[in-house]
Amino acid sequence: MPKFLDSLPMILSRSLDRVMPSYRRLFQANDLTDQQWRVLRALWEKQHLTSAQISQITLLPPPSLVGILDRLEKKNLIGRLRSTEDRRHVHIIPTQKGRALMEHMMPMVEGIHDDFMQRVTESEWTEFNRILDKLSDPAEKRNLA
Amino acid sequence: MPKFLDSLPMILSRSLDRVMPSYRRLFQANDLTDQQWRVLRALWEKQHLTSAQISQITLLPPPSLVGILDRLEKKNLIGRLRSTEDRRHVHIIPTQKGRALMEHMMPMVEGIHDDFMQRVTESEWTEFNRILDKLSDPAEKRNLA
DNA sequence: TCGATTTACTTAATATATGAATTATTCATA
DNA sequence: TATGAATAATTCATATATTAAGTAAATCGA
């Protein structure tokens, strides 16, 4: 008889609720929401991305992304640039201000991450990811390996 | 150098995104949102709860809960009853219709849960929970001087 | 060349999340 | 027994999620 609180969705939700405040304090100190940072963070590794790419990387649904990008643009942290080759694409590019903010925040974000990592051994972290993958793998891919 | 996609929030979010659709199909078939089911599910084990208790069990913040309860009440699945002893409390009670819906859905919800559990061994599940607890333990309780 | 399709994106409507503040009630205590 | 602190439920403003439907520019095929 699986208790409600021990169901997979509740366990994951509760963990997220416990993990996010550490990050959120930093985001708020820099006047960003969780999702706004997610977008900036995605642009850290690539210089420019289309909305669809950002959506895929950040897991934010495209309709949600519209408003998030609007607000980032209003804060002058990103710019939109329609591609000349394929004019269906819109490139999202961080501004100078946006890039400066990212460079300011990244070390602290990594610091928070490191704090969490110090709670477990490397093999625990590996094992954790392995089991979570088994648990949450999309059903289609499950019967392969 | 922790990759964005391997950060704890992203791992948990992605897993939730992969787990929820199985449940969501069932919820939608019964015209419920995730959160609305969470409230009903909490009422499965106790006959009546106050808003604050439901908030604590379901992890839904009180301001969100107000609207969720409003919509459940409008669908005639729950009722609100202000306590006579302490008139600050409001008891949330499932209606006949609400209870019937819960009894209809519970076996299927448990079936979905069992499907996920079959993906891992019992010791893997135990280990997973142990590590996740270490990872997401509230920071306040750890650094308490 | 024209219509069907695809891709990327936008809108609209409803539901939640978040943080701050409010209201009504109860509690604690001087 | 006043009076301030605490509590429960709620409201408010803003931001985001979710789904469905719609738009516009490119691509493809007959």
Side-chain angles (χ1 to χ4, degrees):
Chain A
M1 181 70 66
K3 286 266 181 59
F4 177 36
L5 296 173
D6 296 333
S7 70
L8 194 46
M10 288 302 290
I11 284 175
L12 295 175
S13 300
R14 188 167 55 242
S15 298
L16 258 180
D17 281 357
R18 288 175 176 171
V19 166
M20 288 316 296
S22 304
Y23 289 93
R24 201 164 284 147
R25 273 191 292 274
L26 173 61
F27 300 157
Q28 289 181 338
N30 291 276
D31 193 30
L32 292 177
T33 64
D34 301 2
Q35 292 83 355
Q36 287 170 6
W37 168 253
R38 249 152 109 165
V39 170
L40 289 183
R41 180 64 182 76
L43 289 165
W44 177 259
E45 295 169 4
K46 308 271 183 175
Q47 301 303 320
H48 58 92
L49 294 167
T50 65
S51 285
Q53 289 172 320
I54 292 177
S55 172
Q56 202 168 25
I57 293 171
T58 60
L59 308 178
L60 297 170
S64 308
L65 204 47
V66 176
I68 297 169
L69 292 175
D70 285 347
R71 286 177 279 272
L72 284 173
E73 194 174 22
K74 189 175 294 179
K75 286 194 250 188
N76 195 29
L77 295 174
I78 61 147
R80 284 171 157 110
L81 187 59
R82 189 163 285 275
S83 168
T84 48
E85 303 111 26
D86 188 337
R87 297 185 37 188
R88 291 175 299 184
H89 293 78
V90 171
H91 294 294
I92 308 299
I93 308 170
T95 62
Q96 273 297 329
K97 184 181 170 191
R99 194 152 287 284
L101 180 60
M102 288 154 66
E103 277 166 16
H104 170 64
M105 292 178 65
M106 268 303 285
M108 289 183 278
V109 169
E110 296 198 352
I112 295 170
H113 179 79
D114 291 343
D115 284 347
F116 281 115
M117 287 304 101
Q118 281 180 1
R119 299 181 176 196
V120 296
T121 68
E122 187 152 346
S123 76
E124 279 177 329
W125 177 245
T126 304
E127 182 70 352
F128 170 76
N129 277 276
R130 187 187 66 78
I131 301 174
L132 184 53
D133 265 359
K134 282 179 74 174
L135 279 170
S136 63
D137 231 21
E140 303 78 45
K141 295 165 61 181
R142 248 189 313 144
N143 295 332
L144 297 186
Chain B
M1 180 68 68
K3 287 268 180 55
F4 178 36
L5 297 172
D6 295 333
S7 69
L8 195 47
M10 286 302 290
I11 284 175
L12 295 176
S13 300
R14 189 167 54 244
S15 297
L16 260 179
D17 280 356
R18 288 175 176 171
V19 166
M20 288 316 296
S22 305
Y23 289 94
R24 201 163 285 144
R25 273 191 291 275
L26 174 60
F27 299 158
Q28 290 180 337
N30 291 276
D31 193 30
L32 292 177
T33 65
D34 300 4
Q35 293 83 350
Q36 287 169 8
W37 168 253
R38 253 153 104 166
V39 170
L40 289 183
R41 179 65 182 78
L43 289 166
W44 178 259
E45 295 169 5
K46 309 269 183 175
Q47 301 304 318
H48 60 91
L49 294 167
T50 65
S51 285
Q53 288 172 320
I54 292 177
S55 173
Q56 201 169 25
I57 294 171
T58 60
L59 308 178
L60 298 169
S64 308
L65 199 50
V66 175
I68 297 167
L69 292 175
D70 284 347
R71 286 176 279 273
L72 284 172
E73 194 174 22
K74 189 176 295 181
K75 285 194 250 191
N76 195 30
L77 295 172
I78 60 144
R80 280 174 160 107
L81 188 59
R82 191 163 285 273
S83 167
T84 48
E85 302 111 28
D86 187 338
R87 296 185 36 190
R88 291 174 300 183
H89 293 79
V90 172
H91 294 293
I92 308 300
I93 308 170
T95 62
Q96 273 297 329
K97 184 180 169 191
R99 196 150 286 284
L101 180 60
M102 289 154 66
E103 278 166 15
H104 170 64
M105 291 177 67
M106 268 303 284
M108 290 183 276
V109 169
E110 295 198 351
I112 295 170
H113 178 79
D114 292 343
D115 285 348
F116 281 114
M117 287 304 102
Q118 281 181 0
R119 298 181 176 195
V120 296
T121 68
E122 187 151 345
S123 76
E124 279 177 329
W125 177 244
T126 305
E127 182 70 353
F128 170 76
N129 278 275
R130 187 186 67 77
I131 302 174
L132 184 53
D133 265 359
K134 282 178 73 172
L135 279 170
S136 62
D137 227 23
E140 299 76 45
K141 292 169 64 178
R142 291 162 25 87
N143 296 335
L144 261 190

